[in-house]
Structure formats: C-alpha cells, structure tokens
Amino acid sequence: MTDALDWPRITDDLNAQGWAIVGPLLTPATCEALQALYDQPERFRSRILMQRHGFGQGEYQYFDNPLPDPLPRLRARLYAGLAPIANSWAARLERPSFPDRLDELTAQCRAAGQTRPTSLMLRYGPGDYNRLHQDLYGDLVFPLQAAILLSDPGEFEGGEFVLVEQKPRSQSQAHVVPLKHGEAVIFAVRERPVAGARGDYRVQMRHGVSRVRAGRRMTLGLIFHDAT
C-alpha cells in the first residue's frame, strides 16, 4: 500500500505541522495477524511494563529479528519515501544527512553500536496510557517514525494519539490525531524545522496516548534507527 501514498501531500503536512496521516497501510486481516503475535514471546526481544519505569500504564514489546511479515517491506518502503524529507530537515537544522536506503541506515546504526531492533507493539487496556516521550535510543536518530493502529476504533474508548510541540518562548500546543483501523500517522521523533524571521529554528515534539476508558487498543510502532 505504500506505493499509492501521496508523498507530496505527506511532505507538505510534515513540513507544516510535524505529522501526517497517511491512510491505511495494513488490511484488517493483517492487523489481526500481527496482534496475534503479541502472545508469542519468542517473537520479541523485550517486554516493558510502563508503570515500572514511570512511562505510563500498559505494556509494549520490542520485536526480535527477523521481523515478521510485512514489517521488513513496509519499513523499507516507508523509509525510501521519508529519506528525502529527513534530509531536507537535516540540511535546514545543520545536521548530518541520512542514506537513501534503510539497509544503509541499519549499517550506520551497527557501526555506532546500535544493534537492537526497535519495531514494537503496544497494548493498552482500561485505565492505560502513555506519557509524552521521544523514541531516541542512541546518538543516531532518524527524525521520523510511524505508528499504525492495529485495533478497530470501535473496540475501545479513549486512547487518542497525542502530539505536543514546544516552540521557543511559546506555550505548548497539542494535536489529537484520529486514526482508523490499519491507518498510520508519520511524525517527528524529536524535533522539526520551522521557518522564522531569522531562518529556521527547532521545534521540539513529543508524543503519547491518552487514557483508555474501555476496551483494548493495540498499536504498531515503526522506528527506523536501532537501539544501543
């Protein structure tokens, strides 16, 4: 489905607000198949209970290699579309550029000691939430990531995906992003450039999930840099 994405519109939205809804990337059947993997511990390298670390309430698991289908193809195709945007941002923020292909970024991560996969699945039940945070994992950070809603929105209440931006000398602004079943949002990991009167400046971004009031919410997170 990534072949049909409207990359000019996605680019405009990311430049304007730091996030973009890109439409459904996974079919309901694929969403169901991925959710079924959550209770297969051999597919994951680590399980995190958020309340133990002050991250919120709920849990998530990081996939181990090899990643299940269709994650390898999906990540590679998304990365190819996002690399030009990431490099435009890097130039504006005077940061190093990124390679055109995901396998080349992975090689750079390994050279930097970042060898652990970061694709993850998150599961929330009633009362669960995720505090605002940034998924950095190491010194090498690709500036964009994606989240895909695996649950049908009719299966839960609350649990809105929230992005908060902090411009210098301004109050924070929150964005609530509505997602459909299998739909993805692409967003800034840490910061984005914004044009100002004296050139570009950095706007800090954080993301989280509001409290789930009822039901179960599951999400797939696609982060393109690996972890230390």
Side-chain angles (χ1 to χ4, degrees):
M1 292 186 180
T2 54
D3 296 335
L5 293 183
D6 185 352
W7 285 110
R9 194 269 302 166
I10 293 169
T11 301
D12 289 344
D13 286 351
L14 286 170
N15 284 328
Q17 60 193 17
W19 58 274
I21 296 177
V22 301
L25 293 183
L26 301 176
T27 65
T30 301
C31 289
E32 184 176 351
L34 286 171
Q35 290 184 74
L37 297 179
Y38 197 85
D39 294 317
Q40 299 178 25
E42 68 274 10
R43 305 305 298 264
F44 299 92
R45 66 170 179 83
S46 179
R47 176 171 174 258
I48 305 297
L49 298 178
M50 287 191 272
Q51 53 267 40
R52 287 185 180 177
H53 306 276
F55 297 162
Q57 185 167 308
E59 63 179 62
Y60 55 89
Q61 296 189 94
Y62 290 104
F63 282 103
D64 202 353
N65 285 323
L67 299 178
D69 289 333
L71 268 60
R73 297 190 307 275
L74 182 59
R75 292 177 75 246
R77 291 176 179 175
L78 281 175
Y79 181 90
L82 293 174
I85 305 170
N87 282 324
S88 172
W89 286 15
R92 293 173 63 184
L93 296 176
E94 299 181 343
R95 293 190 179 277
S97 61
F98 298 92
D100 295 331
R101 298 193 335 232
L102 179 57
D103 59 347
E104 295 172 335
L105 177 71
T106 301
Q108 290 185 359
C109 285
R110 289 173 180 164
Q114 296 176 212
T115 59
R116 297 188 296 165
T118 49
S119 296
L120 71 162
M121 199 182 306
L122 305 99
R123 183 166 70 182
Y124 305 90
D128 291 345
Y129 63 95
N130 198 347
R131 297 184 190 275
L132 295 173
H133 63 282
Q134 298 172 325
D135 295 314
L136 302 180
Y137 298 113
D139 293 333
L140 179 56
V141 176
F142 187 76
L144 294 158
Q145 67 187 87
I148 303 175
L149 182 62
L150 297 178
S151 300
D152 187 316
E155 297 174 350
F156 62 91
E157 297 178 8
E160 294 87 358
F161 185 82
V162 179
L163 286 156
V164 173
E165 62 176 1
Q166 178 61 65
K167 294 182 178 180
R169 298 176 296 280
S170 297
Q171 293 181 324
S172 298
Q173 180 179 358
H175 305 268
V176 177
V177 181
L179 292 175
K180 300 176 182 177
H181 197 189
E183 194 170 46
V185 56
I186 296 172
F187 55 99
V189 173
R190 175 171 57 189
E191 60 190 7
R192 68 182 182 95
V194 173
R198 299 181 180 180
D200 292 313
Y201 61 92
R202 293 172 173 82
V203 169
Q204 292 291 314
M205 303 286 292
R206 288 176 170 79
H207 63 280
V209 173
S210 69
R211 191 179 298 275
V212 174
R213 296 190 296 275
R216 188 178 74 175
R217 180 190 192 276
M218 295 190 70
T219 308
L220 175 67
L222 299 179
I223 298 156
F224 297 98
H225 51 273
D226 291 330
T228 55

